[in-house]
């Protein structure tokens, strides 16, 4: 027998001795419980179609879910109303263009305005006055000046001087011998503008008439100036706007341009039953111009609405 | 003694008996407590100035108050965000004018549009085409036609024919011997418009060039037509807009009008770092026109921005 085989036999004998000892130490008698390994019963496998069901949802208290849903609904309602309902402004505030601080509108102005320094000073001065925001806007004034240059205007008419911003803009567009007849009933504001007319060296072109515009227009017609004006800008009181329109059209030459400002009257023209006389007059004038075969027309969304009527 | 008096006496005696009985039944001894009528102490009257205080507030459970406050805050937040935050549109949608269905914009159009029947048919036909909404708008076309009439234009240039809406609008504004040179690379759309050019009896004035606009412009310059055009309308691809602008300016006579469309490029000009070439080209052109001393300019909020450059 080799040494190896002898070693294996002795190990088997050792294991046998240990086993016998364990049997002797086990408690004997009826109280002895023979320990069996516990039998684990696995639950039955679910059917195949049930095994692909989603995980159970997150469970939250009902009060929390209801509260969150109510908060969400209130937020969404507010968002919807805020987006789609008109703002609580008076209907007088209605306008087509976005507010002054709109970035795209600012871009448009910054890429197009070329305002004479005196005009700029006069605009800033005018905006400080009461009702200063009713003045002609700078892009309107620039367009009218461009049109005056385009038709080589020499004589222009300006109803509603205020501080003379539009009169100065027109004067700057006229040749040295040009003349702007401008009408105003309130003597205060034009005196504010006069230093700036002088500064721009255009004072001699501006012929200020401090009396009701209708009187001035009739004087000009009586003086035989019908058909001699190249341009007319109507930005005076609205009660007489149709009379102004008719007289200005007589004073214009064929090919002259008549501009009427504030023809949307801050959105009031949309009123189904206008109660005030001004709104009614503006609406009537718009209807009249639309049907007037003596002019070609364009209505531009500048300021509070600018009608350009080109006399045929 | 009357019967009545006897009845009263007997009642008094009865009450006396009951009282004696109650005294006997009352527990006697030191543990007996003599019940006294409870003394009600009224609170002191408040001072006179406190008596006009308002009624005490309605008392609600704290949970209800907190819940209502949270709902109100959520609603107000939604309303605020809905009103003041920009809508979730792509920045490409930015425009100055209100949407087409705005009542005031509809009023403006209804009081100013005088569209030739053939022009109207062509506009409706064009809007059915793919990218039909990129056409010149009707109020732009009417303004350009009015300006063409104003300067008694005889020769006009139209870059970007599409279906020929702008070409037809210009042709209608020119005298019988007038001519509109119109450039397009895509031969399909102009053929859609041709029957309407014919219907309006203006087909003979429209000179369609089916090749890149730059080639046509160079041909015209080579043919010695510089300074002979009265009007030019640039509504073609934006990559070459500066080249178009420069060549058109050469082709225009002094006093001619150059109109460039879509100069706001749907608000993309506002991008701080434009990535696409088109936006960069439009921005560069706007800067160039602003500083160009050869023209007077106006930038109008019509369509997607309309620059009018009046050649000096």
């Amino acid at each position: 027998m080799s040494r190896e085989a002898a070693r294996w036999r002795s190990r088997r004998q050792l294991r046998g001795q240990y086993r016998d000892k364990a049997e002797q130490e086990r408690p004997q008698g009826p109280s002895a419980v023979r320990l069996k390994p516990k039998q684990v019963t696995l639950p039955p496998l679910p059917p195949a179609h049930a095994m692909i069901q989603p995980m159970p949802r997150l469970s939250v208290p009902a009060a929390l879910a209801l509260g969150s849903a109510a908060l969400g609904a209130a937020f969404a309602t507010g968002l919807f109303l805020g987006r789609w309902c008109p703002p609580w402004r008076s209907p007088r505030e209605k306008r087509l263009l976005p507010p002054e601080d709109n970035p795209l509108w600012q871009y448009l102005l910054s890429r197009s305005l070329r305002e004479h320094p005196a005009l700029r000073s006069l605009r800033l001065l005018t905006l400080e006055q009461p009702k200063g925001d009713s003045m002609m806007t700078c892009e309107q004034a620039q367009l009218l000046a461009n049109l005056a240059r385009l038709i080589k205007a020499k004589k222009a008419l300006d109803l509603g001087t205020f501080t003379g911003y539009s009169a100065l803009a027109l004067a700057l567009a006229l040749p040295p011998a040009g003349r702007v007849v401008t009408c105003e009933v309130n003597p205060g504001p034009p005196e504010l503008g006069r230093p700036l007319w002088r500064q721009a060296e255009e004072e001699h072109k501006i012929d200020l008439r401090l009396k009701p515009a209708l009187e001035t227009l009739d004087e000009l017609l009586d003086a035989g100036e019908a058909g001699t004006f190249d341009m007319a800008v109507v930005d005076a009181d609205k009660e007489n706007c149709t009379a102004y329109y008719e007289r200005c059209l007589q004073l214009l030459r064929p090919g002259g341009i008549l501009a009427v400002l504030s023809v949307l009257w801050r959105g009031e023209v949309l009123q189904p039953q206008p109660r005030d006389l001004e709104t009614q007059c503006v609406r009537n004038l718009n209807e009249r111009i639309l049907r007037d075969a003596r002019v070609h027309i364009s209505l531009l969304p500048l300021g509070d609405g600018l009608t350009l009527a080109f006399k045929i």
Side-chain angles (χ1 to χ4, degrees), chain A:
Chain A
M1 191 188 279
S2 69
R3 283 181 68 190
E4 187 71 9
R7 196 188 296 158
W8 273 107
R9 199 170 53 186
S10 70
R11 279 192 185 172
R12 256 186 247 124
Q13 283 165 350
L14 261 177
R15 276 208 289 270
Q17 284 166 10
Y18 285 137
R19 195 159 49 225
D20 295 344
K21 198 178 174 196
E23 284 291 323
Q24 285 160 9
E25 283 175 359
R26 196 187 290 275
Q28 302 294 326
S31 72
V33 175
R34 187 159 182 104
L35 288 173
K36 283 198 292 182
K38 194 179 173 187
Q39 200 160 7
V40 178
T41 50
L42 286 169
L45 276 176
H49 70 269
M51 291 182 74
I52 53 164
Q53 274 187 343
M55 296 286 289
R57 302 277 169 83
L58 184 68
S59 136
V60 288
L64 180 61
L66 276 175
S68 306
L71 280 178
F75 180 78
T77 310
L79 200 66
F80 179 83
L81 289 178
R83 176 79 70 228
W84 297 112
C85 287
W88 298 286
R89 294 188 213 143
S90 95
R92 291 199 154 267
E93 295 289 325
K94 274 197 209 162
R95 37 181 293 154
L96 284 173
L97 291 176
E100 285 293 316
D101 56 354
N102 176 287
L104 200 53
W105 181 244
Q106 286 293 322
Y107 177 87
L108 183 145
L109 292 183
S110 69
R111 297 309 186 279
S112 62
L113 280 192
R114 297 177 175 182
E115 207 173 19
H116 190 283
L119 264 184
R120 183 179 155 78
S121 304
L122 184 48
R123 180 164 59 86
L124 297 179
L125 180 75
T126 309
L127 286 175
E128 289 171 8
Q129 304 305 312
K131 293 195 182 173
D133 57 347
S134 68
M135 73 185 293
M136 180 184 281
T137 63
C138 42
E139 70 279 5
Q140 285 177 323
Q142 184 161 320
L143 176 66
L144 294 179
N146 283 339
L147 292 177
R149 287 189 197 98
L150 186 71
I151 62 172
K152 299 186 172 61
K154 287 175 199 72
K155 272 173 76 178
L157 198 47
D158 173 43
L159 309 191
T161 312
F162 199 32
T163 61
Y165 181 79
S166 47
L168 180 55
L170 287 172
L172 284 162
L174 299 192
R179 175 176 155 229
V180 181
V181 178
T182 183
C183 311
E184 178 61 58
V185 284
N186 186 355
E191 290 314 311
L192 276 173
R194 194 177 287 278
L196 289 153
W197 306 349
R198 203 171 296 140
Q199 182 187 318
E201 299 178 4
E202 300 292 343
E203 195 189 4
H204 64 284
K205 292 185 195 166
I206 300 177
D207 177 2
L208 175 64
R209 312 271 180 114
L210 284 171
K211 61 177 83 168
L214 275 185
E215 284 181 30
T216 303
L217 293 175
D218 285 335
E219 281 174 12
L220 291 170
L221 285 170
D222 291 344
E225 299 204 46
T228 65
F229 281 85
D230 303 289
M231 193 137 189
V233 179
V234 178
D235 192 14
D237 60 281
K238 294 299 171 196
E239 283 89 348
N240 292 311
C241 59
T242 300
Y244 296 150
Y245 172 78
E246 285 299 328
R247 281 167 178 73
C248 284
L249 213 52
Q250 289 181 55
L251 288 166
L252 282 180
R253 66 166 170 91
I257 301 171
L258 202 162
V260 187
L261 280 92
S262 301
V263 294
L264 298 179
W265 204 230
R266 296 194 186 104
E268 295 281 335
V269 287
L270 289 180
Q271 283 186 21
Q273 296 289 333
R275 276 158 299 175
D276 56 320
L277 183 62
E278 289 177 325
T279 307
Q280 191 59 55
C281 288
V282 174
R283 276 167 54 131
N284 289 347
L285 178 61
N286 289 340
E287 307 288 340
R288 173 187 285 256
I289 297 180
L290 178 64
R291 283 166 183 75
D292 194 339
R294 298 169 293 174
V295 288
H296 296 299
I297 58 168
S298 279
L299 210 168
L300 302 182
L302 291 178
D304 193 16
L306 170 65
T307 292
L308 295 178
F310 304 92
K311 185 171 174 181
I312 298 174

